[in-house]
Amino acid sequence: MTTPHITSLKIRGYRPFRDFTATLGSLEVLVGANGAGKSALFEFLKFLRDSTYQDIPPEIIYGSIGQAIFHQPGADRLWWSVCLDLNRPHPLQYQGEILGPIGKTQVIFERVLTVPPKGQPPLVFLDMQGQSGIIRNEQGQHEEYSLELRRKNQLALSTATNPNLPTLYLLRETLLGWRFYSSFRINHDKIRKPVPIEETPTLAEDAGNLSAVLFYLSSEHPHAFEELHLYLRAMIPHFQRLSLKARGRGEVIAFWQEKGVQAELSLADVSDGILRLLCWSVLALTPTPPSLICIDEPDQGVHPRTLPILAGMFQRASERTQILIATHASYFVKQFDLSTIAVMRKEDGQAVFRKPLNSAVLKDLLQDFGTDDLEYWHQSDQLEDLA
């Protein structure tokens, strides 16, 4: 994989993560029981993303007032270490720790350093203790700048807006590009209305700008737009074509053409399931995808016959960006290669991350019985046990 991506991460002290470690590939399909930590993992990554452009709020996670943020039992501390490949000579580690309690959060330390070959010292680009620290240039030790933060609940990476410090700038821009989607948070009402045209849009996390993204594809990337039509015809037999029309000053809305219906239908006329398929298809086919795409249960509300095609689209998209998918749908899981499946489960009160491919027992079973049994094993929780 050549695009910037997370290779591994460690989390201590956050919700179900007492001492959590995960190694991530370009595509990870996360399965596990409710409460095993799938959504919490997305939530933590979103916390990092949000903290690169705004202060950490009193409740730490927006909208979580009254909820337990720190792992219990344990201290009110959250520590992380995220290793990223940014297509630089060496991977980067982004580390940090915050101290509670909620309402009085403060950053204890924050650090960005390389992961060099064994025997070589790392280059440290950011080293903060509390509100004070240093930023070093690309040569590591030869030039450095003092940094004083104004607020205790501010991450220093949020100040890395200077392109003349390319490593820190690239790291921040990569995190800012992360996007988080859920079948349950799509704003169908907003999608069904005209939206302003955008120059280079990314699908919003509520998908409200879907028509603007479709207009961008049709005008700037016609090959991707035509490919979108091919996939939609394969998933929705009566579909014919999409078109985009202006509505008001600088606004646009998509229209839907289908067999047997002479009039064009706007997105206000199509079902919620079709809107979801449009969202996931646009995400998978956009030529300039977000630097990380996390999707919670994309299988919800769509016809089972579409799932093999949807899985194939995500597999292709993972060649251009990193994709993490959480699902409970056994038939959907079956569409993916075992190497992309990761099991999350609770062990002794904490969430753990397991790769079934590393299970010798599971590999022997697959060799004997084939992948058709993967769906049954997921439904019966045997997949989690075997991992």
Side-chain angles (χ1 to χ4, degrees):
M1 185 173 185
T2 58
T3 57
H5 61 284
I6 302 169
T7 59
S8 64
L9 74 157
K10 298 180 180 180
I11 310 169
R12 296 176 190 160
Y14 178 73
R15 293 208 194 272
F17 305 132
R18 184 166 68 220
D19 192 356
F20 178 81
T21 300
T23 301
L24 303 177
S26 59
L27 174 63
E28 296 290 347
V29 181
L30 307 178
V31 302
N34 292 325
K38 302 183 298 297
S39 296
L41 177 59
F42 289 176
E43 189 181 70
F44 169 77
L45 293 172
K46 188 175 184 295
F47 156 76
L48 283 187
R49 191 277 307 270
D50 292 349
S51 299
T52 60
Y53 67 88
Q54 60 191 11
D55 292 350
I56 300 170
E59 67 270 30
I60 301 178
I61 303 296
Y62 282 99
S64 66
I65 294 176
Q67 299 178 18
I69 299 299
F70 300 104
H71 181 80
Q72 300 297 324
D76 288 351
R77 285 178 175 266
L78 164 57
W79 175 93
W80 70 86
S81 179
V82 183
C83 187
L84 302 103
D85 184 345
L86 301 183
N87 295 323
R88 313 289 283 183
H90 303 297
L92 282 184
Q93 271 192 339
Y94 177 42
Q95 302 175 337
E97 185 175 27
I98 63 173
L99 177 67
I102 291 174
K104 297 181 180 180
T105 307
Q106 55 182 309
V107 180
I108 301 301
F109 85 90
E110 192 179 1
R111 188 177 302 121
V112 176
L113 65 161
T114 61
V115 183
K118 189 175 182 180
Q120 296 184 21
L123 294 177
V124 180
F125 296 103
L126 174 69
D127 193 359
M128 299 291 297
Q129 299 293 325
Q131 294 173 251
S132 302
I134 56 172
I135 293 176
R136 294 192 176 96
N137 69 4
E138 300 303 289
Q139 285 71 47
Q141 303 290 335
H142 299 302
E143 188 175 356
E144 62 184 45
Y145 312 90
S146 297
L147 179 62
E148 294 288 335
L149 300 177
R150 296 181 178 180
R151 295 173 295 279
K152 294 181 179 180
N153 61 333
Q154 179 184 14
L155 288 181
L157 190 61
S158 67
T159 69
T161 57
N162 184 355
N164 292 323
L165 297 169
T167 297
L168 293 179
Y169 181 80
L170 176 60
L171 176 60
R172 180 176 183 267
E173 289 296 303
T174 298
L175 269 63
L176 281 173
W178 292 354
R179 293 294 181 269
F180 302 87
Y181 303 93
S182 170
S183 289
F184 308 103
R185 291 199 300 269
I186 291 178
N187 191 330
H188 300 97
D189 292 337
K190 194 173 179 182
I191 291 175
R192 292 184 166 105
K193 298 175 182 177
V195 294
I197 294 172
E198 301 175 43
E199 186 174 349
T200 53
T202 297
L203 188 68
E205 291 180 347
D206 67 356
N209 66 339
L210 177 60
S211 287
V213 178
L214 289 169
F215 178 78
Y216 170 71
L217 289 178
S218 67
S219 58
E220 301 297 328
H221 299 280
H223 292 296
F225 193 61
E226 290 305 316
E227 189 177 7
L228 173 64
H229 283 85
L230 293 176
Y231 278 108
L232 289 174
R233 290 182 190 121
M235 291 188 288
I236 307 167
H238 58 266
F239 168 75
Q240 287 188 314
R241 190 162 188 83
L242 289 167
S243 61
L244 285 302
K245 294 185 179 181
R247 284 291 184 272
R249 189 173 182 178
E251 291 188 331
V252 67
I253 188 171
F255 282 79
W256 178 276
Q257 300 173 20
E258 63 179 55
K259 297 175 184 176
V261 180
Q262 301 219 345
E264 288 184 315
L265 306 173
S266 77
L267 293 190
D269 300 308
V270 301
S271 69
D272 290 354
I274 286 178
L275 291 181
R276 293 188 185 101
L277 283 176
L278 267 173
C279 292
W280 309 144
S281 301
V282 164
L283 271 177
L285 294 174
T286 184
T288 54
S291 51
L292 171 68
I293 297 174
C294 296
I295 311 179
D296 194 7
E297 301 196 44
D299 50 89
Q300 286 294 309
V302 300
H303 197 283
R305 71 164 173 266
T306 67
L307 296 180
I309 300 171
L310 203 57
M313 294 173 71
F314 286 137
Q315 182 68 60
R316 284 191 58 195
S318 69
E319 298 172 4
R320 294 179 290 109
T321 189
Q322 188 171 32
I323 300 178
L324 308 183
I325 296 170
T327 182
H328 290 288
S330 301
Y331 183 62
F332 193 41
V333 172
K334 181 184 172 182
Q335 310 308 317
F336 294 94
D337 187 85
L338 185 64
S339 64
T340 67
I341 296 172
V343 171
M344 295 188 68
R345 67 184 185 190
K346 286 282 190 68
E347 293 181 1
D348 299 324
Q350 65 171 325
V352 297
F353 181 95
R354 298 282 187 264
K355 294 290 288 185
L357 189 64
N358 297 331
S359 167
V361 174
L362 182 57
K363 285 193 287 187
D364 289 343
L365 287 171
L366 288 173
Q367 187 172 3
D368 291 339
F369 299 104
T371 57
D372 286 345
D373 283 317
L374 189 63
E375 184 177 2
Y376 168 74
W377 291 334
H378 179 241
Q379 291 176 342
S380 63
D381 291 336
Q382 290 183 54
L383 182 61
E384 285 85 344
D385 294 337
L386 290 168

